[in-house]
Amino acid sequence: AQKITQTQPGMFVQEKEAVTLDCTYDTSDQSYGLFWYKQPSSGEMIFLIYQGSYDEQNATEGRYSLNFQKARKSANLVISASQLGDSAMYFCAMRGPYNFNKFYFGSGTKLNVKP
Amino acid sequence: GAGVSQSPSNKVTEKGKDVELRCDPISGHTALYWYRQSLGQGLEFLIYFQGNSAPDKSGLPSDRFSAERTGGSVSTLTIQRTQQEDSAVYLCASSLSGVVNSNQPQHFGDGTRLSIL
């Protein structure tokens, strides 16, 4: 069964504006972790931000924040003040449940930042 | 460096040949993963190793694919009798394992770009 859903295959945003990339997940467990990765055209996977299922505060890392809505099972990534270098594929991933060594990835969202 | 190392970075081979891809994880990481990524697509899980436990092979697409991990460190992914549809980037990742490390991400290598002619 699919665990992670990213419904936006492609997104455009104007430089300096904020953008939200959607991610929903499917689990009946209470313990899990949510991650976002960035993959530029060069191909490397870069870890951006983490949210634990028991974390009460939304995670933030610089210009990245995670809008975590547990009841809705969503973990949207918000990028503030977009930069040209933010153009990349973005993947949402979940660790666990049941097996904390298993990661499930979404299909990704390709973000294009326009000058 | 201290990151995940994969070799070769590029591999071109003829259909029907066998290939071996290597992954050297971050020291101390007991979990190691292999993924396949076709052009413009997401990550397809292939296999993962956790310490001395039996590997989870549930993502291997056919019996032409196999992987081993020696001494809990270096891993080799082998594809026998390669087909053109095997052309993709093969990514390796490692992570700390267990519940106490549940906030730890996977760390990825730069991948091996495999092209089957």
Side-chain angles (χ1 to χ4, degrees), chain B residues 31-47:
Chain B
L32 184 148
Y33 308 78
W34 283 99
Y35 295 90
R36 180 168 69 175
Q37 187 176 31
S38 300
L39 187 63
Q41 302 299 309
L43 276 69
E44 176 187 5
F45 166 76
L46 296 177
I47 186 171

Side-chain angles (χ1 to χ4, degrees), chain A residues 37 39 95 99 101-103, chain B residues 33 37 48 96 104 106:
Chain A
Y37 288 85
Q39 188 179 43
R95 184 172 195 169
N99 182 347
N101 294 317
K102 197 78 179 281
F103 286 79
Chain B
Y33 308 78
Q37 187 176 31
Y48 93 84
L96 293 168
Q104 296 300 307
Q106 293 180 312

Side-chain angles (χ1 to χ4, degrees), chain B residues 63-83:
Chain B
D63 60 8
R64 296 186 296 105
F65 288 72
S66 63
E68 62 178 21
R69 188 178 185 190
T70 53
S73 181
V74 173
S75 177
T76 302
L77 176 69
T78 301
I79 309 173
Q80 295 178 308
R81 305 181 303 281
T82 52
Q83 305 290 316

